[in-house]
Amino acid sequence: MVLTPDETSKLLKEEKKSLLVAGSIAGTLEVGGKKLLDYVVDVAKLTDTPIAATGNTMFQLRKNKEIKAKKMMAADLVNFLRVEKWEEPLTPERPELLVFIGYYPDIARMLVSTIKDQKTMVLDNRYMEAATYSSPDLTLAKWAEFLNETIDKLK
Amino acid sequence: MGDEQKKVMAKVGSTEVDVSTTVRDVRGIEDLVKDSIETAWAENLLNQIKIWLTPYPHATDIAEWDRMLLQKYPPLYTVTRKECLDCFQGPCNLEKGKGACGLDLETFQAKLSLQSACKGLAMHLSTCKELLEHCLKEFGEDKEVKWGKTLVYGMMNVSILITKSPTTLGEVREALSYAEGQLPELLAAGGSGGEGKVVDLEAKAFHAGSIILFVMDLTEWLKFSQFDFTWAPDKELMEIPNYPEPISDSGLGSVDTSKPVVVFIGNDFLPAWMSIQYMKENGLEDKIEVAGIGSVGHDMIRFHEQARLLISATRANKALRLGLGDVVMIGDSCCRVDAIEEAGKTDAKVIATSFNNSYGLDDRAPDPVDEILSDLEKGARAVMISDPKKAGEVAVRLAQKMKGKRKDSYLLTADEIKEYAAKCTDCDACYRACPANLVSCETLKAAKEGDLTKLADICDQSSYCGKCEDACPEDIPLMSMFLAANPQAIEEDNFKMRAGRGAITSNEVRDIAITMFSMPSAVSIIGCGNYPGAGNQVAELAKELVECNYSVVVSGCIAQDVARFKYPKTGKNLYETYPALYNPRCLSNCGGCSAQALGATAPFYKLGYIAFRNPYKSTFAQEADFIFRFAATIVMWGPATDLAYSVAAGHARAGIPVIVGPNGWKFKRYMLGNKYNRDNWWMIHGNTGEKKEVEPIPEHLIMPVETIEEVLAIVPKLSFTTQEMDTARQNKFDLWLNTCKKKFGEWPDDWQNYVKKEIEMPMTKKAKMLKLLEADHGWEIDKKRGRIVKAKHRDGRMLEPGDYVDQYGFKAGQYITCLQRFVYGVRKDRAD
């Protein structure tokens, strides 16, 4: 499903068992004059959602004490999802919605394609057909608008 | 039936074994089996486990081992294909249920995995076969296949499967025919109506991996023995630290374009070899430049000092767009399918040379050289010449004729860059198409205003796949713009490469058998160089590893990227700085693509025999069981082809964890362990047969990662072994925890799973570790004395330290195994 900011914020608000998954690009890429990871932090704060920090993103998140975040390997995360018993302490229960942001498109596609039983959302600027929900194809400027609008609607 | 066959007995010391009891089917290989037992088995071992050999194995012969691995590391698939089109009963959408043949979605993914492994195997099998056929025609089947004067055990990836290492070309042919026989069997299993269980399909994908390493071994030996490639086993140990000397001029800036230039691309070196022979015979060595892209370049610098190694095959477009070659020779694999079109953009002529890669051209091999040259001069853009000797002559003579007829430079001018940038319509299609998020309309907007810095940055970052250009609705030649924006970077891409050394010697393995008790581990960096980002990131990885005292071996296209870093103080690169030994704090380059078989499995098979008398002839499972308990890791950074998929499978099957990234995510099948699932972390006491819980070691078998920093963090973790010396575990803990803190700002969440006793804790971290064990993990600690009073087992029991060590993992020195049949016992089925 292709998302609008309105739908994105609604889904993020409604789903109580969600997990933000921030990939390596989130820590390096600037979108609309702001680090992509800052958008992730904003969403995490507004929705009280923990962050699985993959790649090197934890290094930048470590000082932010207001959010619950943990360094994880992306492969570990998707691997844990497929076993019967959820034991990863980052979330008390198995997440039902995984929100990916900050991934090379090929990696994002591979990640969401491993997940069978949970819903997935990709908020990068390429439409990801394999995900349950995805932002549409966007220019960098439109991507910034999309993220800002989503965050505004979460407030 | 005829007369009763006479029993063939193998004798080791005073023990005799009926060879027919040691293999599935002994007919026709009695002497081979006898030799395998008598030359590789120690008498005491022969009397302690049931000897079972698997000469010339089918995949099913090793399935017991494969199933153990697949149970510990169940394949995780990225399901990107849901519709099976493999037969004419379909198409079947497997997302909605089983297909017409009963196939389900997950098994379909396993089929795709096997097909990928088979395609990879076919790629190299074909290279080896072409080479062998040439050798047989030129030298005959009795021609000796030398091993090198210091090499004792021969081709380890070969003998582990078929017992013997070939010593003549005829024997190489026999060995290769085994591999050729396995491929259709594996393909059939992965086709319609074939295997229907994930475990069987993946076991066969493993087998394709073992076979590709087998064939790569054969290729490497042919290269040395028939073409005098550099070969460390032919040198004395004292010569090897600086062998071969790092003197090969490499990089895109190394080519003297004032001379005619022939550029070779691909995986087979014969056309290059023939060109150089022609140059030598005609006194042209100093008058013509020869350069290689990809594996052929790595091969060329092993037999011709003046050859240049340009760039990895996946970035071939970078060299082609620069127009470095007057003539471009295309080999059998790893070539762009649009190479003729790309070469044509710089008026270069193309010669295709392989039956695998004919580009729609007629084979001109039967035609006279002058006729072919005349056609090319008259305007033909490309020809195919399957005869490497003729192709070599045509290439050299054509390059001479072409000189002066092409432009001095094919770089765009600053005005042209601006002109093209002005065509940008701000759609960002380039950004969305770029797999590495490099180029966008912002980049072009700046260029339009005369600021080329953003474009210049991309010059070194891009893999030149061309997706951006393809996506651009205005046909802006973005790749040409990256190059033109930073000509200085091209000029400065000029460094000294240490050519491949070939195999690791027995003497080096003896050395490492001692040092491995305290060294962090042996890491082999392999791959195709297909990764987004700067070309020096692999050099950074190798630098960090070697500086942390790992034994680092590199091979494949990526070996060149390791040289793309210079220490600022000395101006020397890593090859110029570190000894080329297989030892801690050393950096060896084994060579190009086929050398990927030489840096990990081969030395570890040797290690198993030298240090532990583990037999190495037709005993795959036994050697893999050994390697699985020791610390070796593969880092495959930037795989590009199915060949890499196969190579990864081959190493994983041999018990060596493989870290793949970042394009390794596209493998679509990973083999991951789950640290929380304690049921999977066990080993068997080799004397008692008792199955015991151990640390999650090695945690993963084929693991994708995103960044170099993740590699650096995961390597020490994967190199933990269930039984190691205290100093080794101290080292590994230190490296692991330091790296995680430095790169991610925090310690990992599972370090406590690897603590067994205080002495294994690094001194600088012991206090913190003890404190956290008490506070976060429920251990009882005597803080004053800095001692563990009670350790908390993962099952919740509080245990005395001694009991904990007894009940969680194994002590160093104990014999452990993963298969019950390797448990020692007194044999009762031997002849008196």
Side-chain angles (χ1 to χ4, degrees):
Chain A
M1 177 184 168
V2 188
L3 293 171
T4 62
D6 205 27
E7 289 160 338
T8 309
S9 58
K10 204 173 159 198
L11 281 164
L12 290 171
K13 272 184 200 166
E14 278 173 4
E15 182 53 73
K16 297 301 171 201
K17 290 185 200 168
S18 52
L19 176 65
L20 284 159
V21 192
S24 58
I25 300 170
T28 55
L29 190 69
E30 286 213 353
V31 182
K34 187 172 157 182
K35 274 268 163 64
L36 186 56
L37 195 58
D38 294 335
Y39 294 99
V40 183
V41 170
D42 288 347
V43 173
K45 283 180 184 169
L46 290 164
T47 57
D48 197 21
T49 305
I51 303 173
T54 75
N56 308 343
T57 49
M58 190 60 215
F59 192 79
Q60 290 168 62
L61 287 173
R62 73 195 192 285
K63 286 176 188 160
N64 202 325
K65 304 291 178 198
E66 295 165 68
I67 48 163
K68 187 176 180 186
K70 179 184 167 187
K71 162 65 192 164
M72 286 193 77
M73 294 287 182
D76 270 337
L77 175 64
V78 292
N79 190 37
F80 296 155
L81 286 170
R82 65 173 168 159
V83 290
E84 210 172 302
K85 194 175 169 196
W86 177 256
E87 294 184 86
E88 170 51 52
L90 180 59
T91 59
E93 290 175 81
R94 188 192 309 269
E96 291 301 324
L97 172 67
L98 290 109
V99 184
F100 293 90
I101 187 163
Y103 287 91
Y104 289 124
D106 295 332
I107 296 181
R109 180 164 174 246
M110 296 299 134
L111 279 169
V112 298
S113 300
T114 62
I115 299 171
K116 283 183 198 162
D117 301 320
Q118 288 76 32
K119 286 173 280 181
T120 54
M121 180 188 286
V122 178
L123 294 182
D124 289 328
N125 73 329
R126 263 153 278 200
Y127 173 61
M128 198 61 58
E129 196 184 354
T132 322
Y133 312 107
S134 169
S135 43
D137 280 342
L138 297 162
T139 63
L140 283 166
K142 293 278 179 196
W143 189 16
E145 277 176 30
F146 181 97
L147 292 170
N148 282 322
E149 213 176 309
T150 301
I151 287 164
D152 284 344
K153 288 178 189 298
L154 285 173
K155 286 176 183 167
Chain B
M1 295 294 284
D3 295 336
E4 191 181 324
Q5 268 192 322
K6 197 184 165 203
K7 273 188 182 177
V8 176
M9 304 297 286
K11 190 171 182 188
V12 181
S14 58
T15 303
E16 284 197 291
V17 184
D18 175 359
V19 299
S20 69
T21 65
T22 64
V23 291
R24 180 172 43 75
D25 183 353
V26 80
R27 290 173 298 173
I29 52 169
E30 293 88 347
D31 290 341
L32 188 79
V33 175
K34 183 174 184 288
D35 174 72
S36 169
I37 296 168
E38 291 181 346
T39 56
W41 282 72
E43 187 177 10
N44 63 341
L45 186 61
L46 206 61
N47 280 303
Q48 288 183 101
I49 64 170
K50 177 168 171 50
I51 178 171
W52 189 250
L53 307 179
T54 51
Y56 295 90
H58 299 266
T60 46
D61 288 322
I62 306 173
E64 177 192 21
W65 172 257
D66 297 336
R67 286 182 184 146
M68 185 283 299
L69 288 178
L70 292 162
Q71 184 258 326
K72 278 182 186 279
Y73 308 98
L76 173 67
Y77 298 104
T78 56
V79 184
T80 52
R81 272 185 62 192
K82 295 171 183 173
E83 189 178 55
C84 179
L85 298 161
D86 276 7
C87 77
F88 306 117
Q89 296 180 85
C92 299
N93 184 342
L94 303 175
E95 205 180 10
K96 293 176 180 163
K98 286 185 177 179
C101 66
L103 186 73
D104 63 31
L105 187 58
E106 192 180 25
T107 315
F108 178 49
Q109 307 310 311
K111 270 186 187 271
L112 295 175
S113 169
L114 174 56
Q115 287 167 10
S116 197
C118 286
K119 280 189 274 177
L121 169 58
M123 279 173 76
H124 193 73
L125 196 51
S126 162
T127 304
C128 184
K129 190 172 166 57
E130 266 190 47
L131 182 58
L132 178 63
E133 276 179 4
H134 172 84
C135 292
L136 285 166
K137 281 178 197 162
E138 288 283 317
F139 315 122
E141 63 178 26
D142 294 331
K143 173 83 191 293
E144 184 194 4
V145 172
K146 293 179 290 176
W147 291 2
K149 62 189 176 192
T150 69
L151 206 70
V152 181
Y153 305 109
M155 312 171 195
M156 300 307 289
N157 291 294
V158 175
S159 53
I160 198 71
L161 293 183
I162 66 164
T163 295
K164 58 183 180 185
S165 273
T167 53
T168 65
L169 289 176
E171 287 179 2
V172 173
R173 179 164 61 189
E174 272 177 45
L176 195 65
S177 70
Y178 159 67
E180 287 175 303
Q182 288 303 293
L183 180 59
E185 194 171 302
L186 297 171
L187 271 170
S192 53
E195 290 284 13
K197 297 276 180 226
V198 168
V199 71
D200 294 324
L201 288 157
E202 289 295 358
K204 286 181 167 61
F206 274 152
H207 196 54
S210 298
I211 303 286
I212 199 171
L213 297 179
F214 171 104
V215 181
M216 284 175 159
D217 244 1
L218 294 175
T219 306
E220 278 294 316
W221 256 257
L222 289 176
K223 286 176 179 177
F224 158 63
S225 66
Q226 312 304 312
F227 299 94
D228 285 330
F229 275 42
T230 47
W231 193 249
D234 210 32
K235 301 286 162 190
E236 298 301 332
L237 184 60
M238 295 306 289
E239 296 175 69
I240 297 176
N242 196 28
Y243 176 80
E245 285 183 62
I247 53 170
S248 300
D249 286 311
S250 297
L252 295 168
S254 67
V255 184
D256 179 356
T257 49
S258 67
K259 297 178 185 174
V261 183
V262 185
V263 170
F264 300 83
I265 312 178
N267 211 356
D268 55 341
F269 69 91
L270 269 180
W273 169 269
M274 292 300 176
S275 295
I276 291 164
Q277 295 312 304
Y278 180 83
M279 284 160 54
K280 284 179 180 171
E281 285 160 16
N282 292 279
L284 297 169
E285 279 171 278
D286 297 328
K287 292 176 182 151
I288 292 180
E289 286 276 90
V290 283
I293 294 174
S295 192
V296 64
H298 285 270
D299 285 348
M300 287 164 69
I301 61 171
R302 284 177 73 183
F303 64 79
H304 185 59
E305 217 169 78
Q306 296 99 313
R308 312 283 187 241
L309 169 58
L310 296 181
I311 200 162
S312 58
T314 55
R315 297 185 189 218
N317 247 356
K318 193 172 181 181
L320 293 177
R321 281 289 169 102
L322 284 169
L324 292 177
D326 296 300
V327 176
V328 176
M329 294 272 269
I330 301 176
D332 64 345
S333 54
C334 296
C335 304
R336 291 188 64 93
V337 297
D338 61 354
I340 293 179
E341 192 186 327
E342 279 297 327
K345 287 176 184 168
T346 59
D347 307 316
K349 302 283 186 185
V350 176
I351 302 174
T353 59
S354 169
F355 297 114
N356 299 356
N357 232 351
S358 49
Y359 288 84
L361 301 164
D362 291 332
D363 187 0
R364 302 290 302 271
D367 299 342
V369 168
D370 288 335
E371 198 178 297
I372 304 170
L373 277 170
S374 163
D375 285 350
L376 285 160
E377 275 189 285
K378 280 179 193 159
R381 286 166 65 189
V383 293
M384 181 198 169
I385 309 171
S386 66
D387 174 352
K389 196 170 181 181
K390 192 170 279 183
E393 182 183 340
V394 171
V396 173
R397 288 177 57 189
L398 181 62
Q400 288 173 297
K401 288 175 187 288
M402 294 283 291
K403 199 67 217 165
K405 292 180 183 166
R406 295 171 70 235
K407 288 193 222 169
D408 288 337
S409 169
Y410 284 88
L411 289 178
L412 299 175
T413 63
D415 285 342
E416 284 171 322
I417 294 177
K418 273 189 196 176
E419 245 171 66
Y420 281 121
K423 290 173 73 181
C424 176
T425 56
D426 277 343
C427 71
D428 265 343
C430 53
Y431 184 81
R432 288 192 297 278
C434 175
N437 288 6
L438 292 173
V439 63
S440 71
C441 293
E442 289 292 315
T443 320
L444 296 191
K445 198 184 282 176
K448 188 178 152 188
E449 286 154 15
D451 174 8
L452 302 186
T453 50
K454 285 184 179 175
L455 272 178
D457 285 347
I458 300 173
C459 179
D460 186 41
Q461 304 265 330
S462 174
S463 61
Y464 294 81
C465 68
K467 286 185 180 174
C468 53
E469 283 190 6
D470 196 48
C472 177
E474 301 300 320
D475 293 328
I476 299 173
L478 289 154
M479 292 191 290
S480 301
M481 291 166 80
F482 307 153
L483 289 168
N486 202 348
Q488 199 186 337
I490 307 295
E491 209 172 293
E492 286 171 1
D493 189 38
N494 189 347
F495 47 88
K496 298 289 182 189
M497 180 74 194
R498 192 190 290 286
R501 53 164 284 171
I504 306 294
T505 64
S506 310
N507 283 332
E508 289 169 275
V509 173
R510 282 192 175 86
D511 262 11
I512 213 164
I514 299 163
T515 54
M516 70 178 297
F517 291 113
S518 56
M519 68 185 259
S521 79
V523 180
S524 181
I525 304 175
I526 60 177
C528 316
N530 173 36
Y531 50 86
N536 62 1
Q537 59 178 273
V538 177
E540 292 290 339
L541 171 69
K543 174 178 165 288
E544 289 229 22
L545 290 171
V546 74
E547 284 177 354
C548 289
N549 294 335
Y550 288 91
S551 167
V552 182
V553 182
V554 297
S555 46
C557 272
I558 206 159
Q560 185 189 15
D561 289 350
V562 170
R564 286 195 160 92
F565 164 86
K566 283 179 184 165
Y567 283 100
K569 273 189 185 173
T570 61
K572 290 182 175 177
N573 69 34
L574 297 178
Y575 289 123
E576 294 168 307
T577 306
Y578 293 99
L581 282 167
Y582 185 63
N583 245 314
R585 211 176 173 81
C586 294
L587 173 69
S588 287
N589 171 24
C590 285
C593 193
S594 53
Q596 292 180 101
L598 303 178
T601 49
F604 266 73
Y605 292 142
K606 256 180 232 171
L607 181 67
Y609 183 66
I610 290 171
F612 297 87
R613 280 293 176 261
N614 212 35
Y616 65 96
K617 293 181 174 180
S618 296
T619 47
F620 183 89
Q622 218 163 328
E623 276 280 51
D625 185 55
F626 162 79
I627 295 177
F628 191 63
R629 291 176 265 136
F630 281 83
T633 314
I634 295 282
V635 179
M636 184 177 268
W637 199 250
T641 65
D642 288 315
L643 185 144
Y645 190 86
S646 243
V647 168
H651 283 100
R653 191 198 211 187
I656 302 177
V658 183
I659 304 166
V660 292
N663 282 326
W665 279 93
K666 296 175 204 169
F667 269 15
K668 300 195 259 321
R669 184 268 276 123
Y670 325 113
M671 294 189 177
L672 304 164
N674 182 336
K675 62 188 174 189
Y676 296 119
N677 182 6
R678 290 176 40 232
D679 290 347
N680 263 357
W681 304 115
W682 53 264
M683 294 286 259
I684 299 167
H685 194 298
N687 293 95
T688 66
E690 181 197 2
K691 196 172 174 182
K692 276 172 64 179
E693 182 173 351
V694 297
E695 308 92 314
I697 288 174
E699 191 181 11
H700 302 293
L701 201 55
I702 298 180
M703 184 202 195
V705 297
E706 289 175 69
T707 63
I708 289 287
E709 289 75 11
E710 288 191 328
V711 176
L712 289 166
I714 202 77
V715 164
K717 188 183 187 187
L718 289 178
S719 66
F720 276 120
T721 67
T722 43
Q723 356 165 238
E724 56 199 344
M725 307 297 271
D726 301 334
T727 46
R729 191 160 284 205
Q730 268 185 13
N731 274 337
K732 291 171 191 179
F733 258 131
D734 210 29
L735 285 169
W736 183 30
L737 301 180
N738 279 345
T739 309
C740 289
K741 181 74 182 164
K742 192 173 154 192
K743 308 292 182 190
F744 312 130
E746 62 182 25
W747 280 11
D749 65 349
D750 55 348
W751 59 268
Q752 69 284 353
N753 290 341
Y754 300 87
V755 174
K756 286 168 74 176
K757 44 190 175 178
E758 305 105 2
I759 198 167
E760 293 173 342
M761 299 177 184
M763 285 307 291
T764 53
K765 297 178 177 63
K766 187 177 169 185
K768 183 176 173 185
M769 289 170 89
L770 289 172
K771 192 177 160 192
L772 290 171
L773 282 172
E774 184 179 54
D776 295 349
H777 304 292
W779 292 42
E780 206 174 301
I781 303 295
D782 179 343
K783 283 182 204 151
K784 274 190 185 169
R785 296 174 61 208
R787 287 288 175 91
I788 298 168
V789 179
K790 288 270 177 72
K792 191 172 181 183
H793 194 282
R794 292 186 76 192
D795 64 9
R797 286 179 296 152
M798 296 298 288
L799 299 171
E800 299 288 337
D803 293 340
Y804 181 68
V805 173
D806 275 344
Q807 293 180 41
Y808 186 59
F810 290 90
K811 289 177 186 168
Q814 286 177 331
Y815 166 54
I816 60 173
T817 175
C818 291
L819 296 182
Q820 279 291 349
R821 80 173 160 91
F822 294 143
V823 172
Y824 287 169
V826 178
R827 305 292 312 148
K828 299 197 187 308
D829 54 350
R830 297 282 174 266
D832 290 330

